[in-house]
Amino acid sequence: MTFIISMSCFSSVCFFTLSKIADNNFSECKKFLNNVPPDFTAPAGVSVVAICHCFWDDNDEQIHLYATLYSTTWKIPVYSAYVFGSPNIRKCDTWYIESQLDGDPEPCMRPKGYGTEIGKNQAVNKDYHEKGYDKGHLYPVLQTSNHLSMLATSTLTNAALQKSTFNHNAWLRHEKAVIEDLKFCDKVAYVVTGVVPDTKVKINNNRVTVSKYYWRATCCLKGGQYTGKGYYGPNEQDKLQEFYKVKSPISIFSAQISLKLNREHERLS
């Protein structure tokens, strides 16, 4: 079962908030976060790095396409943040890596790495040769609106281990429902999608951590008022709180926003 959390945003700034991580300012791609980066504290012993995903254009300028907080310990993303786009562009099956995470000086994503350490701090294609798991996009192809953004979603730092049945059924229906909701926004819609890892389950010789939950938060202007929604599945909310070690319910948006939540339940089947 997934829980949908709806709320009205009484501030012009909407963002996901838990707590703070040092040096996590996403200076080159704050526009995907309405200029307010998500705040997140990783558990003790877990390393994370902020990534502004980019390609080179015809003028040798970097084009930044979305933002990800990636765990080099779990080798999956904590979350990806992007500006909603629709209709979608047709999917390409080329997968990229962020080779700079493993010492390559190239700042933008590549189809493959060029150093002996590639894969030390991130998942690579061979890590996904495990029956029953897909490369689950956090920033989905369905919600891109141009060719470069479509290509950029297929970097392994934007993917987490996702059960095939969940990916192709309940989560896919959810992604399509989000499109129907956000296409009626007055202006730009902001989306943050993340995972909670199951730290007890790893594949490929304990290299890559399996995802326990997928969640998504959205925020946009509708009818002159900012509105935010939160979604997660497939497990229970109290477990999400327990994992992040907080005493009160997870707050998806700024503390300035009303905490009166209207919860609706949608069964995933």
Side-chain angles (χ1 to χ4, degrees):
M1 180 177 291
T2 188
F3 291 78
I4 303 175
I5 303 174
S6 303
M7 67 196 79
S8 295
C9 309
F10 299 107
S11 166
S12 61
V13 177
C14 299
F15 58 98
F16 171 79
T17 176
L18 289 175
S19 51
K20 189 176 182 181
I21 181 170
D23 301 320
N24 175 24
N25 58 14
F26 290 99
S27 58
E28 295 173 312
C29 53
K30 283 185 179 179
K31 65 181 180 180
F32 303 113
L33 303 156
N34 203 11
N35 295 318
V36 184
D39 294 328
F40 177 82
T41 295
V46 175
S47 297
V48 293
V49 59
I51 302 173
C52 290
H53 298 281
C54 66
F55 277 126
W56 296 97
D57 68 11
D58 293 336
N59 298 315
D60 290 329
E61 297 288 337
Q62 292 180 24
I63 300 177
H64 293 101
L65 298 158
Y66 64 105
T68 293
L69 187 69
Y70 186 78
S71 172
T72 56
T73 303
W74 297 325
K75 293 181 177 59
I76 56 174
V78 177
Y79 61 75
S80 289
Y82 54 96
V83 171
F84 169 75
S86 185
N88 65 291
I89 305 299
R90 192 167 189 172
K91 184 178 178 180
C92 177
D93 289 330
T94 298
W95 280 90
Y96 298 86
I97 61 170
E98 301 288 345
S99 54
Q100 73 272 17
L101 294 183
D102 293 319
D104 192 316
E106 170 56 47
C108 292
M109 61 183 70
R110 292 178 184 259
K112 61 181 179 179
Y114 294 91
T116 58
E117 297 294 312
I118 296 300
K120 180 180 180 180
N121 293 312
Q122 64 189 302
V124 293
N125 262 316
K126 65 182 180 181
D127 288 318
Y128 283 83
H129 295 165
E130 181 90 359
K131 186 177 180 180
Y133 291 105
D134 289 346
K135 302 182 183 83
H137 291 67
L138 274 64
Y139 179 10
V141 173
L142 282 175
Q143 295 175 21
T144 61
S145 57
N146 62 70
H147 185 71
L148 282 183
S149 291
M150 177 275 292
L151 291 175
T153 63
S154 291
T155 173
L156 288 172
T157 48
N158 179 51
L161 290 161
Q162 189 174 35
K163 281 288 188 180
S164 295
T165 52
F166 183 49
N167 186 24
H168 295 290
N169 294 286
W171 195 246
L172 177 60
R173 292 195 301 271
H174 156 69
E175 288 178 344
K176 291 178 178 179
V178 168
I179 291 173
E180 290 303 308
D181 181 44
L182 296 185
K183 72 181 183 180
F184 295 107
C185 293
D186 297 342
K187 294 182 180 180
V188 171
Y190 299 93
V191 185
V192 183
T193 304
V195 299
V196 173
D198 187 342
T199 55
K200 296 179 181 179
V201 183
K202 298 183 179 182
I203 66 168
N204 199 6
N205 296 318
N206 289 324
R207 270 183 47 82
V208 183
T209 305
V210 172
S211 308
K212 193 172 185 177
Y213 307 88
Y214 270 66
W215 57 263
R216 176 169 283 121
T218 66
C219 186
C220 73
L221 189 68
K222 284 186 178 181
Q225 178 174 276
Y226 276 91
T227 299
K229 290 185 178 180
Y231 311 81
Y232 66 93
N235 289 322
E236 300 297 330
Q237 185 180 14
D238 59 344
K239 297 297 183 182
L240 186 62
Q241 279 181 229
E242 178 183 318
F243 180 84
Y244 283 121
K245 301 184 187 303
V246 294
K247 295 180 180 179
S248 58
I250 297 295
S251 176
I252 301 297
F253 296 113
S254 161
Q256 300 173 21
I257 298 168
S258 170
L259 296 180
K260 294 180 180 179
L261 307 181
N262 175 29
R263 298 183 181 180
E264 301 173 3
H265 295 181
E266 174 187 323
R267 182 174 298 277
L268 296 179
S269 59

